[in-house]
Coordinates of all heavy atoms in Angstrom, one line a residue:
M121 N 0.8 -1.2 0.0 CA 0.0 0.0 0.0 C 0.9 1.3 0.0 O 0.6 2.2 -0.7 CB -0.9 0.0 1.2 CG -1.8 1.1 1.3 SD -3.1 1.0 0.0 CE -4.1 2.4 0.4
K122 N 1.9 1.3 0.8 CA 2.8 2.4 0.9 C 3.5 2.6 -0.5 O 3.7 3.7 -0.9 CB 3.9 2.2 2.0 CG 3.3 2.4 3.3 CD 4.4 2.3 4.4 CE 3.9 2.4 5.8 NZ 5.0 2.3 6.8
R123 N 3.8 1.5 -1.1 CA 4.5 1.5 -2.4 C 3.6 2.2 -3.5 O 4.0 3.0 -4.3 CB 4.9 0.1 -2.8 CG 5.8 0.1 -4.0 CD 6.2 -1.3 -4.3 NE 7.5 -1.3 -4.9 CZ 8.1 -2.4 -5.2 NH1 7.6 -3.6 -5.0 NH2 9.3 -2.3 -5.8
Q124 N 2.3 1.8 -3.4 CA 1.4 2.4 -4.4 C 1.2 3.9 -4.2 O 1.1 4.6 -5.1 CB 0.0 1.6 -4.3 CG 0.1 0.2 -4.8 CD -1.1 -0.6 -4.6 OE1 -2.0 -0.2 -3.8 NE2 -1.3 -1.7 -5.2
V125 N 1.1 4.3 -2.9 CA 0.9 5.7 -2.6 C 2.1 6.5 -3.1 O 2.0 7.6 -3.7 CB 0.6 5.9 -1.1 CG1 0.7 7.4 -0.7 CG2 -0.7 5.3 -0.7
F126 N 3.3 5.9 -2.8 CA 4.6 6.6 -3.2 C 4.6 6.7 -4.7 O 5.0 7.8 -5.3 CB 5.8 5.8 -2.6 CG 7.1 6.4 -3.1 CD1 7.5 7.6 -2.5 CD2 7.8 5.8 -4.1 CE1 8.7 8.1 -3.0 CE2 9.0 6.3 -4.5 CZ 9.5 7.5 -3.9
L127 N 4.3 5.7 -5.4 CA 4.3 5.7 -6.9 C 3.3 6.7 -7.4 O 3.6 7.4 -8.4 CB 3.9 4.3 -7.4 CG 4.0 4.1 -8.9 CD1 5.4 4.4 -9.4 CD2 3.6 2.7 -9.3
L128 N 2.1 6.8 -6.8 CA 1.1 7.8 -7.3 C 1.6 9.2 -7.0 O 1.5 10.0 -7.9 CB -0.2 7.5 -6.5 CG -1.3 8.5 -6.8 CD1 -1.8 8.4 -8.3 CD2 -2.5 8.3 -5.9
L129 N 2.2 9.5 -5.9 CA 2.8 10.8 -5.6 C 3.9 11.1 -6.6 O 4.0 12.3 -7.0 CB 3.2 10.9 -4.2 CG 2.1 10.9 -3.1 CD1 2.7 10.9 -1.7 CD2 1.2 12.1 -3.3
A130 N 4.7 10.2 -6.9 CA 5.8 10.4 -7.8 C 5.3 10.7 -9.2 O 5.8 11.6 -9.9 CB 6.7 9.2 -7.9
I131 N 4.3 10.1 -9.6 CA 3.7 10.4 -11.0 C 3.0 11.7 -11.0 O 3.2 12.5 -11.9 CB 2.6 9.3 -11.3 CG1 3.4 8.0 -11.6 CG2 1.8 9.7 -12.5 CD1 2.5 6.8 -11.8
L132 N 2.3 12.1 -9.9 CA 1.7 13.4 -9.8 C 2.7 14.5 -9.8 O 2.5 15.6 -10.3 CB 0.8 13.5 -8.6 CG -0.5 12.7 -8.6 CD1 -1.3 12.8 -7.3 CD2 -1.4 13.2 -9.8
A133 N 3.9 14.3 -9.1 CA 4.9 15.3 -9.1 C 5.5 15.6 -10.5 O 6.0 16.7 -10.7 CB 6.0 14.8 -8.1
M134 N 5.5 14.6 -11.3 CA 6.0 14.8 -12.7 C 5.1 15.5 -13.6 O 5.5 16.0 -14.7 CB 6.5 13.4 -13.2 CG 7.7 12.9 -12.6 SD 8.3 11.4 -13.4 CE 7.3 10.1 -12.7
L135 N 3.8 15.5 -13.3 CA 2.8 16.2 -14.2 C 3.0 17.7 -14.1 O 3.2 18.2 -13.1 CB 1.4 15.8 -13.8 CG 1.1 14.3 -14.0 CD1 -0.3 14.0 -13.5 CD2 1.2 13.9 -15.5
P136 N 2.8 18.4 -15.3 CA 2.9 19.8 -15.2 C 1.6 20.4 -14.4 O 0.5 19.9 -14.6 CB 2.8 20.3 -16.7 CG 2.3 19.1 -17.4 CD 2.6 17.9 -16.6
I137 N 1.9 21.3 -13.6 CA 0.8 21.9 -12.7 C 0.0 22.9 -13.5 O -1.2 22.9 -13.3 CB 1.5 22.6 -11.5 CG1 2.2 21.6 -10.6 CG2 0.4 23.2 -10.6 CD1 1.4 20.4 -10.2
G138 N 0.6 23.7 -14.3 CA -0.2 24.7 -15.1 C 0.4 25.0 -16.4 O 1.6 24.8 -16.6
A139 N -0.4 25.4 -17.3 CA 0.2 25.8 -18.6 C 0.8 27.1 -18.6 O 0.2 28.1 -18.0 CB -0.9 25.7 -19.7
Q140 N 2.0 27.3 -19.1 CA 2.6 28.6 -19.1 C 3.1 28.8 -20.5 O 3.8 28.0 -21.2 CB 3.8 28.6 -18.2 CG 4.5 29.9 -18.1 CD 5.7 29.9 -17.1 OE1 6.0 28.8 -16.5 NE2 6.3 31.0 -16.9
I141 N 2.8 30.0 -21.0 CA 3.2 30.4 -22.4 C 4.7 30.9 -22.3 O 5.0 31.8 -21.5 CB 2.3 31.4 -23.0 CG1 0.9 30.9 -23.1 CG2 2.9 31.9 -24.3 CD1 -0.1 31.9 -23.5
R142 N 5.5 30.3 -23.1 CA 6.9 30.7 -23.1 C 7.2 31.5 -24.3 O 6.7 31.2 -25.4 CB 7.8 29.5 -23.0 CG 7.7 28.7 -21.7 CD 8.7 27.6 -21.6 NE 8.5 26.9 -20.4 CZ 9.1 25.8 -20.0 NH1 10.1 25.4 -20.8 NH2 8.9 25.2 -18.9
G143 N 8.1 32.4 -24.2 CA 8.6 33.2 -25.4 C 7.5 34.1 -25.9 O 7.5 34.3 -27.1
N144 N 6.7 34.7 -25.1 CA 5.7 35.6 -25.6 C 6.2 37.0 -25.5 O 5.4 37.9 -25.3 CB 4.4 35.4 -24.7 CG 3.2 36.0 -25.4 OD1 3.2 36.2 -26.6 ND2 2.1 36.2 -24.7
S145 N 7.5 37.2 -25.7 CA 8.0 38.6 -25.6 C 7.9 39.3 -27.0 O 7.9 38.6 -28.0 CB 9.5 38.5 -25.2 OG 10.2 37.8 -26.1
I146 N 7.9 40.6 -27.0 CA 7.8 41.4 -28.2 C 9.2 41.9 -28.4 O 9.8 42.5 -27.5 CB 6.8 42.5 -28.1 CG1 5.4 41.9 -28.0 CG2 6.9 43.4 -29.3 CD1 4.3 42.9 -27.8
V147 N 9.7 41.7 -29.6 CA 11.1 42.1 -30.0 C 11.0 43.0 -31.2 O 10.4 42.7 -32.2 CB 12.0 40.9 -30.3 CG1 13.4 41.3 -30.8 CG2 12.1 40.0 -29.1
V148 N 11.6 44.2 -31.1 CA 11.7 45.1 -32.2 C 13.2 45.2 -32.7 O 14.1 45.4 -31.9 CB 11.3 46.6 -31.8 CG1 11.4 47.5 -32.9 CG2 9.9 46.5 -31.3
T149 N 13.4 44.9 -33.9 CA 14.8 44.9 -34.5 C 14.9 46.0 -35.6 O 13.9 46.2 -36.3 CB 15.2 43.6 -35.1 OG1 14.2 43.2 -36.1 CG2 15.2 42.5 -34.0
V150 N 16.0 46.6 -35.6 CA 16.3 47.6 -36.6 C 17.6 47.2 -37.3 O 18.7 47.1 -36.6 CB 16.5 49.0 -36.0 CG1 16.9 50.0 -37.1 CG2 15.3 49.5 -35.3
E151 N 17.6 46.8 -38.5 CA 18.7 46.3 -39.3 C 19.1 47.2 -40.4 O 18.4 47.4 -41.3 CB 18.4 44.9 -39.8 CG 19.5 44.2 -40.5 CD 19.1 42.9 -41.0 OE1 18.2 42.3 -40.5 OE2 19.7 42.5 -42.0
P152 N 20.3 47.9 -40.3 CA 20.7 48.8 -41.4 C 21.3 48.0 -42.6 O 21.6 46.8 -42.5 CB 21.8 49.6 -40.7 CG 22.5 48.6 -39.8 CD 21.3 47.7 -39.3
D153 N 21.4 48.8 -43.7 CA 22.0 48.1 -44.9 C 23.6 48.3 -44.8 O 24.3 47.7 -45.6 CB 21.5 48.7 -46.2 CG 21.8 50.2 -46.4 OD1 22.1 50.9 -45.4 OD2 21.7 50.7 -47.5
H154 N 24.1 49.1 -43.9 CA 25.5 49.1 -43.6 C 25.8 48.3 -42.4 O 25.2 48.6 -41.3 CB 26.0 50.6 -43.4 CG 26.0 51.4 -44.7 ND1 25.0 51.6 -45.5 CD2 27.1 52.1 -45.2 CE1 25.3 52.4 -46.5 NE2 26.6 52.7 -46.4
Q155 N 26.8 47.5 -42.5 CA 27.1 46.6 -41.3 C 27.6 47.4 -40.1 O 27.3 47.0 -39.0 CB 28.2 45.6 -41.7 CG 28.0 44.2 -41.2 CD 28.9 43.2 -41.8 OE1 29.9 43.6 -42.4 NE2 28.7 42.0 -41.5
D156 N 28.3 48.5 -40.3 CA 28.9 49.3 -39.2 C 28.0 50.4 -38.7 O 28.4 51.2 -37.9 CB 30.3 49.7 -39.5 CG 30.3 50.6 -40.8 OD1 29.2 50.9 -41.3 OD2 31.4 51.0 -41.2
W157 N 26.8 50.7 -39.3 CA 25.9 51.7 -39.0 C 26.5 53.1 -39.4 O 25.9 54.1 -38.9 CB 25.5 51.7 -37.5 CG 24.5 50.7 -37.1 CD1 24.8 49.4 -36.8 CD2 23.1 50.8 -37.0 NE1 23.7 48.7 -36.5 CE2 22.6 49.6 -36.6 CE3 22.3 51.9 -37.1 CZ2 21.3 49.4 -36.3 CZ3 20.9 51.7 -36.9 CH2 20.4 50.5 -36.5
N158 N 27.6 53.2 -40.1 CA 28.2 54.5 -40.4 C 27.7 54.9 -41.8 O 27.8 54.2 -42.8 CB 29.7 54.4 -40.4 CG 30.2 54.3 -38.9 OD1 29.6 54.9 -38.0 ND2 31.2 53.5 -38.7
Y159 N 27.3 56.2 -41.9 CA 26.8 56.7 -43.2 C 27.5 58.1 -43.4 O 27.8 58.8 -42.5 CB 25.3 56.9 -43.2 CG 24.5 55.7 -43.2 CD1 24.2 55.1 -42.0 CD2 24.1 55.0 -44.3 CE1 23.5 53.9 -41.9 CE2 23.4 53.9 -44.3 CZ 23.1 53.3 -43.1 OH 22.4 52.1 -43.1
C160 N 27.8 58.4 -44.7 CA 28.4 59.7 -45.0 C 27.3 60.8 -45.0 O 26.1 60.5 -45.2 CB 29.1 59.6 -46.3 SG 30.5 58.5 -46.4
V161 N 27.7 62.0 -44.8 CA 26.8 63.1 -44.9 C 26.1 63.2 -46.2 O 26.8 63.1 -47.3 CB 27.5 64.5 -44.5 CG1 26.6 65.6 -44.7 CG2 28.0 64.4 -43.1
G162 N 24.8 63.3 -46.3 CA 24.1 63.3 -47.5 C 23.7 62.0 -48.1 O 22.9 61.9 -49.0
E163 N 24.2 60.9 -47.5 CA 23.9 59.5 -47.9 C 22.6 59.1 -47.4 O 22.2 59.4 -46.2 CB 25.0 58.6 -47.5 CG 24.8 57.2 -47.9 CD 26.0 56.3 -47.5 OE1 26.8 56.7 -46.7 OE2 25.9 55.1 -47.9
T164 N 21.8 58.4 -48.1 CA 20.5 57.9 -47.7 C 20.7 56.7 -46.8 O 21.3 55.7 -47.2 CB 19.6 57.6 -48.9 OG1 19.4 58.8 -49.6 CG2 18.2 57.1 -48.4
A165 N 20.2 56.7 -45.6 CA 20.2 55.6 -44.7 C 19.0 54.7 -45.0 O 17.9 55.1 -44.9 CB 20.3 56.0 -43.3
R166 N 19.3 53.4 -45.3 CA 18.2 52.4 -45.5 C 18.3 51.3 -44.4 O 19.4 50.8 -44.1 CB 18.4 51.8 -46.9 CG 18.1 52.8 -48.0 CD 18.2 52.1 -49.3 NE 17.9 53.0 -50.4 CZ 18.8 53.7 -51.1 NH1 20.0 53.7 -50.7 NH2 18.3 54.5 -52.0
F167 N 17.2 51.0 -43.9 CA 17.2 50.0 -42.8 C 15.8 49.3 -42.8 O 14.9 49.8 -43.4 CB 17.6 50.5 -41.5 CG 16.8 51.8 -41.0 CD1 15.7 51.6 -40.3 CD2 17.3 53.0 -41.4 CE1 15.0 52.8 -39.9 CE2 16.6 54.1 -41.0 CZ 15.5 54.0 -40.2
T168 N 15.7 48.2 -42.1 CA 14.5 47.5 -42.0 C 14.1 47.4 -40.5 O 15.0 47.1 -39.6 CB 14.7 46.0 -42.5 OG1 15.1 46.1 -43.9 CG2 13.4 45.3 -42.4
V169 N 12.9 47.7 -40.2 CA 12.3 47.6 -38.8 C 11.4 46.4 -38.8 O 10.5 46.3 -39.7 CB 11.6 48.9 -38.4 CG1 11.0 48.7 -37.0 CG2 12.5 50.1 -38.5
E170 N 11.5 45.5 -37.8 CA 10.6 44.4 -37.7 C 10.1 44.3 -36.3 O 10.8 44.5 -35.3 CB 11.3 43.1 -38.0 CG 11.7 42.9 -39.5 CD 12.3 41.6 -39.7 OE1 12.8 40.9 -38.8 OE2 12.4 41.2 -40.9
V171 N 8.8 44.0 -36.1 CA 8.2 43.8 -34.8 C 7.7 42.4 -34.7 O 6.9 42.0 -35.6 CB 7.0 44.8 -34.5 CG1 6.4 44.5 -33.2 CG2 7.5 46.2 -34.7
R172 N 8.2 41.6 -33.8 CA 7.9 40.2 -33.7 C 7.4 39.9 -32.3 O 7.9 40.4 -31.3 CB 9.1 39.3 -34.0 CG 9.6 39.4 -35.4 CD 10.8 38.6 -35.7 NE 11.2 38.6 -37.1 CZ 10.9 37.8 -38.0 NH1 10.1 36.8 -37.7 NH2 11.3 37.9 -39.2
R173 N 6.5 38.9 -32.2 CA 6.0 38.4 -30.9 C 6.2 36.9 -31.0 O 5.7 36.2 -31.9 CB 4.5 38.7 -30.7 CG 4.0 38.1 -29.4 CD 2.5 38.3 -29.1 NE 2.2 39.7 -29.0 CZ 1.2 40.3 -29.7 NH1 0.4 39.6 -30.5 NH2 0.9 41.5 -29.5
S174 N 7.0 36.3 -30.1 CA 7.3 34.9 -30.1 C 7.9 34.5 -31.4 O 7.6 33.4 -31.9 CB 6.1 34.1 -29.8 OG 5.5 34.5 -28.5
G175 N 8.7 35.3 -32.1 CA 9.3 35.0 -33.3 C 8.5 35.2 -34.6 O 9.0 34.9 -35.7
T176 N 7.3 35.6 -34.4 CA 6.4 35.8 -35.6 C 6.1 37.3 -35.8 O 5.8 38.0 -34.8 CB 5.0 35.0 -35.4 OG1 5.3 33.7 -35.1 CG2 4.1 35.1 -36.6
L177 N 6.1 37.7 -37.0 CA 5.8 39.1 -37.3 C 4.4 39.5 -36.8 O 3.5 38.7 -37.0 CB 5.9 39.4 -38.8 CG 7.3 39.4 -39.4 CD1 7.3 39.5 -40.9 CD2 8.2 40.5 -38.8
V178 N 4.3 40.7 -36.2 CA 3.0 41.2 -35.7 C 2.3 42.0 -36.8 O 2.9 43.0 -37.3 CB 3.2 42.0 -34.4 CG1 1.9 42.5 -33.9 CG2 3.9 41.1 -33.4
N179 N 1.1 41.7 -37.1 CA 0.3 42.5 -38.1 C -0.3 43.7 -37.4 O -0.7 43.6 -36.2 CB -0.7 41.6 -38.8 CG -0.1 40.6 -39.6 OD1 0.9 40.8 -40.2 ND2 -0.8 39.5 -39.7
D180 N -0.5 44.8 -38.1 CA -1.3 46.0 -37.7 C -0.7 46.5 -36.4 O -1.5 46.8 -35.5 CB -2.7 45.7 -37.6 CG -3.3 45.2 -38.9 OD1 -2.9 45.8 -40.0 OD2 -4.2 44.3 -38.9
V181 N 0.6 46.7 -36.3 CA 1.2 47.2 -35.0 C 1.5 48.7 -35.2 O 1.9 49.1 -36.3 CB 2.4 46.4 -34.6 CG1 3.5 46.5 -35.7 CG2 2.9 46.8 -33.3
I182 N 1.3 49.5 -34.2 CA 1.5 50.9 -34.3 C 2.8 51.2 -33.5 O 2.9 50.8 -32.4 CB 0.3 51.7 -33.7 CG1 -0.9 51.4 -34.6 CG2 0.6 53.2 -33.7 CD1 -2.2 52.0 -34.1
I183 N 3.7 52.0 -34.2 CA 4.9 52.3 -33.5 C 5.1 53.8 -33.5 O 4.6 54.5 -34.5 CB 6.2 51.6 -34.1 CG1 6.4 52.0 -35.6 CG2 6.1 50.1 -34.0 CD1 7.7 51.6 -36.1
D184 N 5.8 54.4 -32.6 CA 6.2 55.8 -32.5 C 7.7 55.8 -32.8 O 8.4 55.0 -32.2 CB 5.9 56.4 -31.2 CG 4.5 56.5 -30.8 OD1 3.7 56.7 -31.8 OD2 4.1 56.2 -29.7
Y185 N 8.2 56.8 -33.6 CA 9.6 56.8 -33.8 C 10.1 58.3 -33.9 O 9.2 59.2 -34.1 CB 10.1 56.1 -35.0 CG 9.7 56.7 -36.3 CD1 10.5 57.6 -37.0 CD2 8.4 56.5 -36.9 CE1 10.2 58.2 -38.2 CE2 8.1 57.1 -38.1 CZ 9.0 57.9 -38.8 OH 8.6 58.5 -39.9
A186 N 11.3 58.5 -33.6 CA 11.9 59.9 -33.7 C 13.2 59.8 -34.4 O 14.0 58.8 -34.2 CB 12.1 60.5 -32.3
A187 N 13.6 60.8 -35.2 CA 14.8 60.8 -36.0 C 15.4 62.1 -35.9 O 14.7 63.2 -35.9 CB 14.6 60.4 -37.4
G188 N 16.7 62.2 -35.9 CA 17.5 63.4 -35.8 C 18.6 63.3 -34.9 O 19.0 62.2 -34.4
P189 N 19.3 64.4 -34.6 CA 20.4 64.4 -33.7 C 20.0 63.9 -32.3 O 18.9 64.0 -31.9 CB 20.9 65.8 -33.6 CG 20.3 66.5 -34.8 CD 19.1 65.8 -35.1
E190 N 21.0 63.2 -31.6 CA 20.7 62.6 -30.3 C 20.2 63.7 -29.4 O 20.7 64.8 -29.3 CB 22.0 62.0 -29.8 CG 21.7 61.2 -28.5 CD 22.9 60.5 -28.0 OE1 23.9 60.3 -28.8 OE2 23.0 60.1 -26.9
M191 N 19.1 63.4 -28.7 CA 18.5 64.3 -27.7 C 17.7 65.5 -28.4 O 17.0 66.2 -27.7 CB 19.4 64.9 -26.7 CG 20.2 63.8 -25.9 SD 19.1 62.9 -24.8 CE 18.5 64.1 -23.7
Y192 N 17.8 65.7 -29.7 CA 17.1 66.8 -30.4 C 16.5 66.3 -31.6 O 16.6 66.8 -32.7 CB 18.1 67.9 -30.7 CG 18.7 68.5 -29.4 CD1 20.0 68.2 -29.1 CD2 18.0 69.4 -28.6 CE1 20.6 68.7 -27.9 CE2 18.6 69.9 -27.5 CZ 19.9 69.6 -27.1 OH 20.4 70.1 -26.0
Q193 N 15.7 65.2 -31.5 CA 15.1 64.7 -32.7 C 14.1 65.7 -33.3 O 13.2 66.2 -32.6 CB 14.3 63.4 -32.4 CG 15.3 62.2 -32.0 CD 15.5 62.1 -30.5 OE1 14.9 62.9 -29.8 NE2 16.4 61.3 -30.1
D194 N 14.2 66.0 -34.6 CA 13.3 66.9 -35.2 C 12.2 66.3 -35.9 O 11.2 66.9 -36.4 CB 14.1 67.9 -36.2 CG 14.9 67.1 -37.2 OD1 15.0 65.9 -37.1 OD2 15.5 67.7 -38.1
T195 N 12.2 65.0 -36.1 CA 11.1 64.2 -36.7 C 10.6 63.2 -35.7 O 11.2 62.4 -35.2 CB 11.7 63.4 -37.9 OG1 12.3 64.3 -38.8 CG2 10.6 62.7 -38.6
K196 N 9.3 63.4 -35.4 CA 8.6 62.5 -34.5 C 7.3 62.1 -35.1 O 6.4 63.0 -35.4 CB 8.4 63.2 -33.1 CG 9.6 63.5 -32.4 CD 9.4 64.1 -31.0 CE 10.7 64.4 -30.4 NZ 10.6 65.0 -29.1
K197 N 7.1 60.8 -35.4 CA 5.9 60.4 -36.1 C 5.4 59.1 -35.5 O 6.1 58.4 -34.8 CB 6.2 60.2 -37.5 CG 6.5 61.5 -38.3 CD 6.7 61.2 -39.7 CE 7.1 62.5 -40.4 NZ 7.2 62.4 -41.9
T198 N 4.2 58.7 -35.8 CA 3.5 57.4 -35.5 C 3.2 56.8 -36.8 O 2.7 57.5 -37.8 CB 2.3 57.7 -34.7 OG1 2.7 58.3 -33.5 CG2 1.6 56.3 -34.3
I199 N 3.4 55.5 -36.9 CA 3.1 54.8 -38.2 C 2.6 53.4 -37.8 O 2.9 52.8 -36.8 CB 4.4 54.6 -39.0 CG1 4.0 54.1 -40.4 CG2 5.5 53.8 -38.4 CD1 5.2 54.1 -41.4
E200 N 1.7 52.9 -38.7 CA 1.1 51.5 -38.5 C 1.8 50.6 -39.5 O 1.9 50.9 -40.7 CB -0.4 51.5 -38.7 CG -1.0 50.2 -38.5 CD -2.5 50.2 -38.7 OE1 -3.1 51.2 -38.9 OE2 -3.1 49.1 -38.6
L201 N 2.3 49.5 -39.0 CA 3.0 48.5 -39.8 C 2.0 47.4 -40.1 O 1.6 46.7 -39.2 CB 4.2 47.9 -39.1 CG 5.2 48.9 -38.5 CD1 6.4 48.1 -37.9 CD2 5.7 49.8 -39.6
K202 N 1.5 47.3 -41.3 CA 0.5 46.4 -41.7 C 0.9 44.9 -41.6 O 0.2 44.1 -41.1 CB 0.0 46.6 -43.1 CG -0.6 47.9 -43.4 CD -2.0 48.0 -42.7 CE -2.6 49.3 -43.0 NZ -3.9 49.5 -42.3
D203 N 2.2 44.6 -42.0 CA 2.7 43.3 -41.9 C 3.8 43.1 -40.9 O 4.5 42.1 -41.0 CB 3.1 42.8 -43.3 CG 4.2 43.6 -43.9 OD1 4.6 44.6 -43.3 OD2 4.8 43.2 -45.0
G204 N 4.1 44.0 -40.1 CA 5.1 43.9 -39.1 C 6.5 44.3 -39.5 O 7.4 44.3 -38.7
T205 N 6.6 44.8 -40.8 CA 7.9 45.3 -41.3 C 7.8 46.7 -41.8 O 6.7 47.1 -42.3 CB 8.5 44.4 -42.3 OG1 7.6 44.3 -43.5 CG2 8.7 43.0 -41.8
W206 N 8.9 47.4 -41.9 CA 8.9 48.7 -42.4 C 10.3 49.0 -43.0 O 11.3 48.6 -42.3 CB 8.6 49.7 -41.3 CG 8.5 51.2 -41.7 CD1 8.0 51.7 -42.9 CD2 9.0 52.3 -41.0 NE1 8.1 53.0 -42.9 CE2 8.7 53.4 -41.7 CE3 9.6 52.4 -39.7 CZ2 9.1 54.7 -41.3 CZ3 9.9 53.6 -39.3 CH2 9.7 54.8 -40.0
Q207 N 10.4 49.6 -44.1 CA 11.7 49.9 -44.7 C 11.8 51.4 -45.0 O 11.6 51.8 -46.2 CB 12.0 49.0 -45.9 CG 12.1 47.6 -45.6 CD 12.5 46.7 -46.8 OE1 12.1 47.1 -47.9 NE2 13.1 45.6 -46.6
P208 N 12.1 52.2 -44.0 CA 12.2 53.6 -44.3 C 13.5 54.0 -44.9 O 14.5 53.3 -44.8 CB 12.0 54.2 -42.9 CG 12.6 53.2 -42.0 CD 12.3 51.9 -42.6
R209 N 13.6 55.2 -45.5 CA 14.8 55.7 -46.0 C 14.9 57.1 -45.5 O 14.1 58.0 -45.7 CB 14.8 55.8 -47.5 CG 14.8 54.4 -48.1 CD 14.8 54.4 -49.6 NE 14.8 53.0 -50.1 CZ 14.2 52.5 -51.1 NH1 13.4 53.3 -51.7 NH2 14.3 51.3 -51.4
L210 N 16.0 57.4 -44.8 CA 16.2 58.7 -44.2 C 17.5 59.3 -44.7 O 18.5 58.7 -44.9 CB 16.4 58.6 -42.6 CG 15.2 58.0 -41.9 CD1 15.5 57.8 -40.4 CD2 14.0 58.9 -42.0
L211 N 17.4 60.6 -45.1 CA 18.6 61.3 -45.6 C 19.4 61.8 -44.4 O 18.9 62.6 -43.6 CB 18.1 62.5 -46.5 CG 19.2 63.3 -47.2 CD1 20.0 62.3 -48.2 CD2 18.7 64.4 -47.9
T212 N 20.7 61.4 -44.3 CA 21.5 61.9 -43.2 C 22.0 63.3 -43.6 O 22.2 63.7 -44.7 CB 22.7 61.0 -43.0 OG1 23.4 60.9 -44.2 CG2 22.3 59.6 -42.6
S213 N 22.1 64.2 -42.5 CA 22.6 65.5 -42.7 C 23.7 65.9 -41.9 O 24.1 65.2 -41.0 CB 21.4 66.5 -42.5 OG 20.8 66.3 -41.2

C-alpha cells in the first residue's frame, strides 16, 4: 500500500501543474544596410524595422519613432505596420 501511494505521488509530481506560455516577448529589431551603421553626410540611410511576438511578425502594429540628432530629434511620427515590417529611407545631414 505504501509503495502504491509513493508511486502515485511520484507520478503526480512529474505532471505539469499549469500551462505557461513561453517566449511571448515582443522584440523590435532595426537592421541597417551598412554593417557598421556609419553613413556619410548626404547619404540615404536604409534599414529594416521588424516587430515580432514569439518569433512571428505582428500584423497591424503601431509604433512611434523619432529621428534626428541625439536628444534633439526633429522628426517625431507614428506609423502603423500592416505586416510587421517597415523599410524607411532617411537622408543623413
Side-chain angles (χ1 to χ4, degrees):
M121 181 69 176
K122 287 183 182 181
R123 187 177 213 180
Q124 291 173 344
V125 171
F126 177 75
L127 184 60
L128 179 63
L129 289 175
I131 291 172
L132 288 175
M134 288 188 275
L135 294 175
I137 299 301
Q140 181 178 4
I141 298 173
R142 295 185 184 178
N144 199 17
S145 60
I146 294 177
V147 177
V148 178
T149 58
V150 179
E151 183 180 331
D153 65 340
H154 285 56
Q155 219 172 11
D156 59 3
W157 284 83
N158 290 321
Y159 293 88
C160 295
V161 174
E163 184 179 5
T164 300
R166 291 180 176 92
F167 52 93
T168 302
V169 178
E170 293 182 342
V171 180
R172 294 179 178 268
R173 179 184 297 132
S174 301
T176 304
L177 289 171
V178 179
N179 293 329
D180 301 321
V181 64
I182 297 174
I183 61 168
D184 297 321
Y185 72 94
E190 189 173 344
M191 301 295 294
Y192 298 102
Q193 293 91 6
D194 54 354
T195 302
K196 295 181 181 180
K197 295 184 179 180
T198 300
I199 189 168
E200 181 178 358
L201 309 182
K202 296 291 183 186
D203 62 351
T205 63
W206 181 42
Q207 293 183 332
R209 295 182 176 139
L210 300 175
L211 183 64
T212 58
S213 54

